[in-house]
Amino acid sequence: MKVYKNYIDGKFISSRTKKTFASVNPTNGKILGYFQKSDKRDLDNSITAAKKGFKLWSNVPAPKRGEILLNIASLLRKNKEQIGKLVTTEMGKVIAEGRSDVQEAIDIFEYMAGEGRRLFGITTPSELREKFCMTTRRPLGVCALISPWNFPIAIPAWKISAALICGNSVVFKPSSDTPLCAVRLIEIFEEAGVPVGVVNMITGSGEEIGDEIIKNNNFMGISFTGSKDVGRYILRNASASRIGLELGGKNPIIVMEDADMDLAVDGVIWGGFGTAGQRCTAASRVIIHKKINKEFEEKLLKRTKKLRIGDPLKESTDIGPLVAERAVKKTEYYVHSGKKEKARILCGGKRGEREGFFYEPTLFSNVKPRMKIAKEEIFGPIVSLIKVNNLKEAIKVCNSVEYGLSSSIYTRDIQNAFKAIEGIDAGLTYVNSSTIGSEVHLPFGGIKATGNGTREGGQEAIHEFSEIKTVYIDYSGRLQKAQFDTIKIKR
Ligand code: UN1
């Protein structure tokens, strides 16, 4: 079985620990390869390399950096099918989603390549004559990027593309569930011409190496996607002043009495059971107007029962395995909790019948907002149905959780739509579309326990990975003093 290595200073090298861990195919439990269990010594080496890389890369004009990002995008496109299959094999999402994971990476590298010719600052007038005011952008320095397993290509791509176009160098620590996807990305970067030391990768579990990364004072920025608890820990303990967090969600879909019901059913199926519910943006609560509650539940149940669970590499499969046994255990825990709290199970509620980490798509009705299954992030194929009397109550239920990532409303009434956009506390609101499916040129992220105010994607990602410098140029040739000098206007 192949042993894969860290990537430091342009070379694949073994960890100083001489220890490895396995990555497993969740469909059949087969080992895909062994990866380095890194420790502080490997981290230190990667930082030394990244510092060198930073000197070089920050001095490359941004449009030139963009050309390399464009190379990455075209290599990803060329290898889309192969990498998509790899995503499916290592992480378990169905093949169409494996491909779309790669597509999202292509999109963001193309978008960020174009940013190389923008990276806009502003110019603005001075309150004094013969004085020029503007802002410019500077990279942060060496950044640590810690990415999750549920989008093993797309999310590293969001972070790396934005960090690189701004001129930063990075130490990338992928999830220990999907290190093979990360190695493949590194190979693409190498082929695309990313210079030595600019992107470095070390593998290992968060428990073992996470703390060393977080507390290391060589990092000027940290970008993390993962659990709320780890995110909060990073906020309290990180040495870097620039921290980007993308944490959990408990995303609602409101279905109003005037909704196109079939469309809403499509949206719930897609948002609730896509990626087997393992998205931060998964629709895990459906808040239904009482007038249509019964009919909607029946339609949704019928559709849910038709979902095909099985080999994610087969085009006809709708739901693949969860990422690992621990994810199945967590899902089982919540199903048990839902039953205990007297929610009614409509379908599912048990493991899949085949080997691998499968769990059946599960619907709970009669869910009350105070129940655990309505409040906590499950990250599995469980959808909770909550009946409400009106839109006001629906919005209140939406906002009754600690998270605020994505949200959606199905309605044909423009007043309902705008009231939801205004009233829901979330980073994203979709109208007549599910809670998933963000596009890379728009900001992505959430409020409350979902994050710390930063966003990925679009212009916001540029803010996350650059510092603004404010520049004043006085060409008057005399001492001018803002707040002291008065400008006289002739009458
Ligand atoms: C995530 O759920 O972790 O909007 C990211 C979406 C994808 C990104 C999801 N474009 O569902």
Side-chain angles (χ1 to χ4, degrees), residues 250 284-288 290 293 297 337-345 364-376 378 383-389 393 396-398 400-401:
K250 190 70 191 171
S284 58
R285 299 182 292 155
V286 186
I287 300 167
I288 311 159
K290 63 177 178 194
N293 186 58
E297 277 191 12
S337 155
K339 284 181 182 162
K340 220 173 70 191
E341 291 195 277
K342 302 251 174 342
R344 194 156 64 88
I345 209 151
F364 269 113
S365 78
N366 204 22
V367 176
K368 303 285 176 258
R370 59 174 163 74
M371 293 179 184
K372 250 184 173 187
I373 51 169
K375 285 201 164 308
E376 295 177 16
I378 302 174
V383 173
S384 292
L385 310 179
I386 303 170
K387 186 169 80 175
V388 291
N389 293 303
E393 188 187 342
K396 200 168 149 208
V397 172
C398 279
S400 68
V401 297

Side-chain angles (χ1 to χ4, degrees), residues 104 150-151 155 158 225 279-281 430 435-438 444:
E104 195 156 348
N150 67 335
F151 280 82
I155 293 183
W158 289 357
T225 301
R279 292 193 187 213
C280 315
T281 49
Y430 291 86
T435 54
I436 67 177
S438 63
F444 177 90

